[in-house]
């Protein structure tokens, strides 16, 4: 009986030590860069939608709005003259989407992400290189951000 209790005691101590050690490691990670852990919520009040961007995008992206398009750009590559487009949200009138959508779906990286009030919301990614391929740091920075694009697409929500 005593031997069994001793084994249980050692087992519980081990579990507690491992749990505590893992918790401290996670706390250290958050202490390193707490702001990067907090997602950025982008809200477009004109078109009534939100997106969730990773916290590590803070100060690394810019937004360009033209007509019915909202383009998210890698700031460093854009400033270096390499474009930097990561993705674009475009809002079509339903009739326009019916006329143009099939061709767009067959020719570029575009997907329908929402419909509301006679509008179709699309999410597209560039079809050409958007980083300075001669600069390894710019290329790597763009690639790191581009890895998050699919999760951002999945975060699209209409707010109306």
């Amino acid at each position: 009986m005593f031997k069994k209790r001793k084994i249980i005691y050692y087992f519980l101590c081990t579990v507690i030590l491992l749990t505590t050690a893992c918790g401290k490691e996670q706390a250290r990670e958050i202490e390193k860069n707490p702001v990067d852990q907090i997602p950025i919520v982008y809200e477009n009040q004109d078109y009534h939608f939100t997106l969730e961007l990773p916290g590590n995008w803070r100060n690394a992206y810019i937004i360009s709005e033209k007509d019915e398009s909202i383009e998210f750009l890698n700031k460093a590559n854009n400033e270096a003259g390499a474009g930097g487009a990561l993705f674009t949200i475009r809002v079509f009138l339903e009739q326009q989407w019916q006329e143009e959508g099939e061709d767009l779906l067959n020719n570029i990286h575009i997907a329908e992400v929402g419909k509301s009030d006679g509008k179709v919301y699309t999410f597209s990614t560039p079809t050409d290189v958007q980083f300075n391929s001669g600069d390894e740091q710019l290329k790597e920075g763009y690639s790191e951000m581009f890895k998050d694009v699919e999760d951002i697409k999945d975060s699209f929500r209409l707010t109306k």
Side-chain angles (χ1 to χ4, degrees):
M1 183 76 152
F2 178 71
K3 196 174 192 181
K4 193 174 188 179
R5 283 186 186 171
K6 193 174 181 183
I7 291 171
I8 292 172
Y9 172 77
Y10 285 122
F11 175 76
L12 289 175
C13 286
T14 303
V15 169
I16 291 169
L17 284 172
L18 288 173
T19 306
T20 305
C22 292
K24 286 181 183 177
E25 188 60 40
Q26 186 178 19
R28 279 190 218 115
E29 274 300 310
I30 292 171
E31 286 172 19
K32 283 182 190 175
N33 226 334
V35 175
D36 285 353
Q37 304 297 319
I38 302 168
I40 302 161
V41 177
Y42 169 80
E43 181 175 7
N44 186 297
Q45 295 185 355
D46 293 333
Y47 292 110
H48 311 287
F49 72 88
T50 62
L51 294 171
E52 193 171 287
L53 309 172
N56 63 357
W57 278 37
R58 206 171 308 308
N59 302 317
Y61 74 99
I62 54 177
I63 297 171
S64 172
E65 295 187 32
K66 303 181 227 172
D67 303 321
E68 290 80 30
S69 294
I70 302 98
E71 189 171 36
F72 289 74
L73 308 151
N74 171 271
K75 184 177 179 179
N77 276 285
N78 183 264
E79 290 173 351
L86 293 156
F87 67 90
T88 302
I89 301 289
R90 183 164 174 206
V91 182
F92 290 86
L93 294 174
E94 253 184 283
Q95 172 133 4
Q96 180 187 15
W97 179 248
Q98 288 173 357
E99 294 167 3
E100 300 174 23
E102 189 173 334
D103 284 340
L104 291 171
L105 288 166
N106 290 326
N107 293 305
I108 65 172
H109 310 137
I110 191 167
E112 187 179 314
V113 290
K115 275 186 183 182
S116 178
D117 298 329
K119 294 182 178 110
V120 176
Y121 296 78
T122 64
F123 188 103
S124 61
T125 54
T127 56
D128 58 349
V129 175
Q130 292 291 314
F131 55 84
N132 183 337
S133 59
D135 184 319
E136 199 58 39
Q137 187 175 359
L138 288 174
K139 180 181 175 181
E140 186 178 316
Y142 180 89
S143 297
E144 280 301 310
M145 290 179 78
F146 195 78
K147 287 178 187 175
D148 298 320
V149 167
E150 195 63 32
D151 288 337
I152 294 168
K153 177 178 140 187
D154 292 342
S155 77
F156 179 90
R157 299 287 181 270
L158 292 168
T159 57
K160 228 169 127 165

